[in-house]
Amino acid sequence: MTINTLGTASTGAALAGLSGAAKTTATLYWVGGLVGGGVAAGTAVLGVGAVGAGIYGSIKIRRAILGHARRTEGLSEEEQAILKAADALIAAIQNTLNSDAEVTGREMALMSRIGITPLLARIDLAFTENRFDDLKIYNRARLRGHVNNFRSLQTRLENA
């Protein structure tokens, strides 16, 4: 059932029989009357309802596309090992940047070989063994993009 089948305008006419601006105004008065107000109250109720439905819908769509946030405890051993390796690599790079030490091309190539290459190999193995299948498609694609960007940066490091 809709408001139009139940409601009547202040003139006594059924809302279903009205059209255009008269129908809109009568509907807003009817909804506003339910909460103790007039057209303004009806507009507020319907506006808040529409905004609420929009927010709820956008959250549902976002979760359907991106999935829920994952906690470290819920990750597989392989995923945790990859994260630890990435964290160690980031910490080493950050420490070097903070020390103001000059890094030679040879040191960058060594960092690439002993730090980045094993990490990328582990991620490639996880992709080959379908260990990331529980990720949403969007997140798997983003991960592949990050890995490709990481590879191109590694190539630049080795050629520096």
Side-chain angles (χ1 to χ4, degrees):
M1 282 191 172
T2 64
I3 292 173
N4 292 330
T5 58
L6 294 175
T8 57
S10 60
T11 61
L15 290 179
L18 299 175
S19 64
K23 183 175 188 172
T24 301
T25 304
T27 303
L28 291 174
Y29 266 117
W30 190 83
V31 171
L34 293 176
V35 293
V39 172
T43 303
V45 167
L46 292 178
V48 167
V51 168
I55 291 171
Y56 176 78
S58 68
I59 290 171
K60 289 300 225 178
I61 289 171
R62 182 181 180 278
R63 284 190 182 153
I65 293 171
L66 300 179
H68 294 280
R70 297 173 68 196
R71 304 257 186 254
T72 308
E73 308 86 46
L75 300 178
S76 70
E77 287 182 31
E78 182 70 21
E79 291 171 319
Q80 288 181 16
I82 290 170
L83 281 177
K84 285 179 186 175
D87 283 343
L89 187 58
I90 290 167
I93 292 169
Q94 193 64 48
N95 287 339
T96 303
L97 291 174
N98 290 340
S99 72
D100 293 330
E102 191 163 325
V103 181
T104 66
R106 185 170 178 229
E107 289 171 324
M108 285 194 288
L110 184 62
M111 168 72 89
S112 172
R113 271 194 307 270
I114 65 172
I116 298 173
T117 300
L119 177 61
L120 287 174
R122 194 165 210 162
I123 293 171
D124 285 338
L125 179 64
F127 267 120
T128 331
E129 294 176 350
N130 300 321
R131 294 188 185 209
F132 295 126
D133 280 355
D134 61 329
L135 292 177
K136 296 282 186 177
I137 293 171
Y138 175 80
N139 288 331
R140 266 197 318 261
R142 285 185 64 198
L143 178 58
R144 284 189 193 275
H146 291 311
V147 167
N148 290 337
N149 289 341
F150 203 27
R151 272 203 181 84
S152 69
L153 289 172
Q154 181 186 26
T155 303
R156 288 174 49 198
L157 262 179
E158 290 175 353
N159 295 331

